[in-house]
Amino acid sequence: MHALNGFADRVWTPQGWIADAQVRHGADGLEVAAAGAPPAGAERLGRWVLPGLANLHSHAFQRAMAGLAERQGNAEDSFWTWREVMYAFAGRIGPEALRAIAAQLYVEMLKAGYTRVCEFHYLHHRPDGTPYADPADMALALIEAARETGIGLTLLPTLYLTGGFDGRALGPRQVRFGHTVDAFLRLVERLRALESDRLNIGIALHSLRAVPADALAAVLASEPARQGPIHIHIAEQIGEVQDCLSLRGARPVDWLLDHAAVDARWCLVHATHLTDRETDRLAASGAVAGLCPTTEANLGDGLFPLKRYLAGGGAFGIGSDSHISVSPVEELRWLEYGQRLTAHRRNIAVAPEQPSTGERLFGRAWAGGLQAAGLSGAGRTHGDDLLVLDEDAPLLAGRDADHLLDTWLFAGNVPLVRHVHGGGRWLVRDFHHHDEDRIAAAYRSAVAALRAD
Ligand code: NGQ
Ligand code: ZN
């Protein structure tokens, strides 16, 4: 790894901005210290330096269908009709297409400021449900895509057993998602052997709809579940809350908190439909709420009770999920705007000790993302990756550190991430990813082949 030794006018840390700071790689990730003047040999990074964000929820293949589900197919179009369109699309994706789509997506993520991604991966087998020659082929395609682009990857092989809370078998379009618990755990162990600085392996349970109680207990008691992050989709749609109530006798988040030792290793994705009590319980659990505001808006899910959750000390991070948008700015902006639109108030995600909305959104999403990616233990305080914003952007003229994040998150429509350093090298320089032309060409061919099929 090329050891970064840089100097910047202002560097964001969880404790606040540090002026005239030296930035170096140490054992616990980036080390930032006030230096006064540039130390000998330090390269000037720029005026504004921030840590990279983790995108805590991604289904990479869905990027290639962005914009293809925005025409009415049914007067009652909903999440569930979108899901049928998505399933038809998913059925066309094999390992080569997945690798090309994911690589293009990851380039876009890096350029937007995400330096790590959690892949919630359930497209395991061939469309007819038979395993690929190597049952890990689809997972390996995602690992290759991440390696090509330099983004850090938290791969979450996903367990998917049933087609609903009633335990029905997987439908014909879902069979490629399915595993026995044993085969699933073998996949996790196989992938764990590939872990590196830029790759770690967690576990995902697709949803309570897809994982019956006995399978949940078996996975959580298994050896592979003793380490790494655990993610689950939960309470995204009112229909699944009702099904859970009628078939398991409790709402999804209550049920999960009663049946699993949910703690800081967990990420509950969406968690949209919560009672006040569930909101407080989730906040107190230490788990991360995996919020995906642009997808949740696109799919008509609903709004997360952010204000109450933050008041209870809850952790959250952001994900771009279906990738209808690939932008941490847009996720954080819509997270706040959704609340303003319903509360008829301004500046919701703030606290008395932190009156800047942008600061609080960014700081929480940064910490929650790192936690959900399984990277915040062992004294790591800052992550490894950094972003340098465009100091020449007119938008940032006259901004001090107190207003920098408010300006970026609420007014930044032109890309402001100018350079990105990750995994010990510059991945993006002057807005360009080092391999973006080749990756875009491969993506175009892959999408053309999908349309021709
Ligand atoms: C997914 N996406 O797994 O891709 C889901 C849709 C489902 C979101 N929930 C499928 N946003 O939940 O059954
Ligand atoms: Zn999802």
Side-chain angles (χ1 to χ4, degrees), residues 2-44:
H2 150 87
L4 182 77
N5 179 16
F7 181 80
D9 298 2
R10 296 282 185 284
V11 180
W12 186 93
T13 76
Q15 290 75 40
W17 289 92
I18 299 188
D20 300 323
Q22 184 175 17
V23 184
R24 277 187 301 189
H25 277 115
D28 297 333
L30 289 176
E31 289 170 2
V32 182
E43 105 187 76
R44 183 175 187 277

Side-chain angles (χ1 to χ4, degrees), residues 57-59 62 82 120 122 206 233 236 269-270 292 295 321-322:
H57 192 64
S58 166
H59 308 289
Q62 292 176 15
W82 168 84
F120 196 108
Y122 60 89
H206 182 275
H233 287 130
E236 182 181 9
V269 180
H270 307 304
C292 308
T295 293
D321 189 351
S322 69

Side-chain angles (χ1 to χ4, degrees), residues 92-335:
R92 305 160 68 87
I93 308 289
E96 277 175 35
L98 182 58
R99 175 174 167 174
I101 294 166
Q104 175 62 27
L105 171 67
Y106 296 163
V107 165
E108 291 169 18
M109 284 188 192
L110 285 164
K111 290 166 73 165
Y114 294 120
T115 54
R116 188 159 202 110
V117 58
C118 302
E119 266 298 330
F120 196 108
H121 166 58
Y122 60 89
L123 225 51
H124 299 297
H125 310 305
R126 294 181 207 273
D128 67 1
T130 57
Y132 284 100
D134 178 340
D137 273 343
M138 293 293 267
L140 296 173
L142 292 166
I143 291 173
E144 265 315 298
R147 195 195 52 73
E148 282 179 70
T149 61
I151 201 166
L153 174 64
T154 297
L155 183 57
L156 305 162
T158 302
L159 181 65
Y160 203 122
L161 293 167
T162 53
F165 278 103
D166 56 4
R168 79 186 81 149
L170 300 179
R173 288 165 148 182
Q174 297 173 320
V175 289
R176 67 181 309 197
F177 313 157
H179 274 115
T180 62
V181 169
D182 283 348
F184 170 71
L185 295 175
R186 280 199 298 280
L187 175 66
V188 175
E189 286 188 316
R190 156 92 199 278
L191 296 171
R192 281 249 158 90
L194 305 176
E195 284 190 327
S196 69
D197 270 3
R198 279 320 247 179
L199 172 68
N200 66 339
I201 308 295
I203 282 179
L205 309 163
H206 182 275
S207 51
L208 294 180
R209 288 180 259 129
V211 181
D214 56 345
L216 177 90
V219 169
L220 296 181
S222 74
E223 190 56 34
R226 292 165 69 96
Q227 52 166 304
I230 304 172
H231 290 217
I232 185 168
H233 287 130
I234 200 150
E236 182 181 9
Q237 285 283 319
I238 288 171
E240 60 186 329
V241 175
Q242 288 166 342
D243 286 353
C244 192
L245 259 175
S246 57
L247 286 152
R248 294 200 189 172
R251 300 169 58 87
V253 169
D254 271 337
W255 189 92
L256 184 69
L257 293 171
D258 290 342
H259 289 83
V262 172
D263 61 12
R265 287 173 60 206
W266 285 72
C267 176
L268 275 64
V269 180
H270 307 304
T272 310
H273 297 286
L274 304 178
T275 60
D276 286 352
R277 180 167 164 261
E278 284 177 300
T279 307
D280 298 344
R281 291 185 75 193
L282 180 57
S285 73
V288 177
L291 308 179
C292 308
T294 63
T295 293
E296 289 157 7
N298 185 267
L299 299 180
D301 290 341
L303 286 173
F304 178 80
L306 183 70
K307 193 174 163 79
R308 185 176 182 105
Y309 184 72
L310 289 178
F316 78 85
I318 49 162
S320 60
D321 189 351
S322 69
H323 313 300
I324 190 68
S325 166
V326 184
S327 158
V329 167
E330 207 180 355
E331 299 306 336
L332 293 173
R333 186 181 297 171
W334 275 103
L335 180 59

